[in-house]
Amino acid sequence: MSSTGEGVWAAPGRVNLIGEHTDYNDGFVMPFALPHTTVATVSRRDDGVLRLTSTDMDGGPVELRVDDLAPGGPGGWTDYPAGVVWALRDAGHQVGGADIHYESTVPTGAGLSSSAAIEVVTALALNDLYELGLERWRTARLCQRAENVYVGAPTGIMDQTASACCTEGHALYLDTRDLSQRQIPFDLAAHGLELLVVDTRVKHAHSDGEYGKRRAGCEAGAAALGVNALRDVPYDSLDEALGRLDDPEVRSLVRHIVSENHRVERVIAHLEAGEVRAIGPVLTEGHASLRDDFRVSCQELDLVVDTALAAGALGARMTGGGFGGSAIVLTQTSASPLVAKSVEEAFAASSLEQPRVFTAVPSAGARRLS
């Protein structure tokens, strides 16, 4: 394949500002795209072969026949793009072979949706090259199906939609039931604020059993309450709903989801009113709920949050699926260096691997580069 192929596409990772584990409960989420992207150089092939290479992964090219693609693949990073090709073809789209080379700056295992980035960039490229005419939201749906069915990870729709649909300078308010979207202005710099991402370097895996257990518990809670999804439990009726649940674990999961949907609505209200600093305590409430009710935090994530708040941050919480990954910290720009230094020193004092700290800038979603 030539260095340029037929074209070059990019899709970003994302940070979720608020709304965690709500997406597979038909709830509300509010991600924004990062400047970190997965870039794909793509050419069509007429021999029915999908040839995948990556600058960032060990091993040589992987070649698969598109006619042979089926769920339950060999595992590894190539399942994600292969799953997208399978999902497109399974939905009736005429997609043939392709040469695809990937390069990525999205940290893997950091809760920043590296898997969604590779799925979305693959789908966008094939949509363009094979002239499928798919809308962005439909592309995201097919990428989610690839991850759910082909890869076997029971993720919601947020990550793929964020990568496909976010716009620069905004957070994306997404209703995961009807997929309606609203771009919410999110200009922290104008308010003298900064959002830090702290990658704890603790790797997590969404396809492990713990994520699936949380999802099953949420579904059990919805069934016990007689609703289609926990999205249908009003926040004002939360106490009454919890009183109807016998299983304490299910009760905790329900409390997180219903209160987290309410937190998304509160953050939107603050941002639209220009009260950007006021979202800080809401972020911190979200972390406590994820830590205590949903139980998806870990020592390193808690250390980031506690240390950042002690150093003067306005709010902090884990972001992503949990069990590792990253935390976000809202801070005044003037205090950002001190907050970052405090977190790094806390990790050193605990003999933990040094975290990666960077400023999150709301960036553009997936796009064709050339």
Side-chain angles (χ1 to χ4, degrees):
M1 183 175 65
S2 71
S3 60
T4 57
E6 290 184 75
V8 181
W9 289 260
R14 65 96 187 98
V15 161
N16 192 25
L17 182 62
I18 194 74
E20 217 65 80
H21 289 273
T22 50
D23 59 345
Y24 54 81
N25 290 284
D26 282 3
F28 312 130
V29 295
M30 202 171 176
F32 63 88
L34 289 168
H36 306 73
T37 61
T38 294
V39 175
T41 305
V42 188
S43 293
R44 287 168 291 182
R45 296 175 65 122
D46 58 11
D47 59 359
V49 171
L50 178 65
R51 185 177 188 270
L52 305 171
T53 60
S54 171
T55 302
D56 311 291
M57 298 295 178
D58 294 331
V62 174
E63 294 192 356
L64 305 164
R65 294 202 59 82
V66 295
D67 287 342
D68 296 338
L69 296 176
W77 73 271
T78 58
D79 274 2
Y80 294 92
V84 169
V85 175
W86 168 81
L88 287 167
R89 289 168 58 86
D90 191 60
H93 300 292
Q94 299 301 309
V95 175
D99 277 322
I100 311 180
H101 178 72
Y102 300 97
E103 296 183 50
S104 183
T105 57
V106 184
T108 59
L112 304 177
S113 296
S114 58
S115 59
I118 194 171
E119 291 161 0
V120 169
V121 76
T122 304
L124 182 63
L126 296 176
N127 180 56
D128 287 354
L129 289 176
Y130 283 97
E131 299 179 345
L132 304 180
L134 294 169
E135 306 98 327
R136 291 297 182 95
W137 69 266
R138 197 176 300 278
T139 299
R141 272 285 192 216
L142 287 166
C143 289
Q144 182 202 14
R145 185 158 191 266
E147 190 153 348
N148 289 171
V149 180
Y150 195 96
V151 179
T155 54
I157 189 62
M158 175 183 66
D159 296 350
Q160 293 85 359
T161 304
S163 186
C165 300
C166 279
T167 62
E168 186 175 355
H170 294 78
L172 177 69
Y173 168 64
L174 173 67
D175 182 330
T176 65
R177 169 166 284 169
D178 62 14
L179 299 187
S180 60
Q181 303 176 16
R182 199 158 92 238
Q183 301 288 346
I184 308 295
F186 191 49
D187 185 357
L188 293 172
H191 295 268
L193 301 174
E194 204 168 297
L195 193 75
L196 299 177
V197 174
V198 182
D199 174 8
T200 64
R201 301 189 187 272
V202 177
K203 302 296 183 184
H204 69 170
H206 266 181
S207 53
D208 68 8
E210 291 302 313
Y211 188 97
K213 287 179 186 176
R214 302 303 188 280
R215 183 163 186 163
C218 290
E219 292 168 353
L225 294 171
V227 294
N228 290 327
L230 293 182
R231 138 71 171 280
D232 297 313
V233 179
Y235 179 74
D236 291 344
S237 304
L238 176 57
D239 288 344
E240 183 270 334
L242 295 177
R244 293 162 52 197
L245 297 171
D246 296 326
D247 187 328
E249 287 197 17
V250 171
R251 193 180 307 129
S252 293
L253 298 178
V254 170
R255 180 165 49 234
H256 167 72
I257 297 300
V258 177
S259 63
E260 186 79 348
N261 279 325
H262 186 55
R263 280 186 283 274
V264 176
E265 295 175 321
R266 289 164 61 197
V267 166
I268 291 171
H270 285 312
L271 291 178
E272 292 187 332
E275 303 164 348
V276 183
R277 294 171 62 95
I279 74 172
V282 188
L283 302 183
T284 305
E285 285 178 31
H287 182 77
S289 182
L290 288 159
R291 180 193 64 211
D292 300 335
D293 279 338
F294 226 69
R295 293 176 294 106
V296 292
S297 189
C298 64
Q299 171 196 353
E300 292 83 358
L301 290 168
D302 293 342
L303 183 61
V304 173
V305 171
D306 294 343
T307 303
L309 294 173
L314 301 174
R317 74 172 190 90
M318 58 155 282
T319 187
F323 312 108
S326 298
I328 55 174
V329 178
L330 181 68
T331 177
Q332 296 180 104
T333 302
S334 58
S336 177
L338 173 62
V339 171
K341 182 182 178 185
S342 297
V343 170
E344 291 164 352
E345 290 177 345
F347 270 59
S350 298
S351 300
L352 297 170
E353 183 178 357
Q354 276 297 285
R356 179 184 181 208
V357 184
F358 61 91
T359 300
V361 180
S363 301
R367 57 212 181 269
R368 186 167 187 166
L369 300 180
S370 66

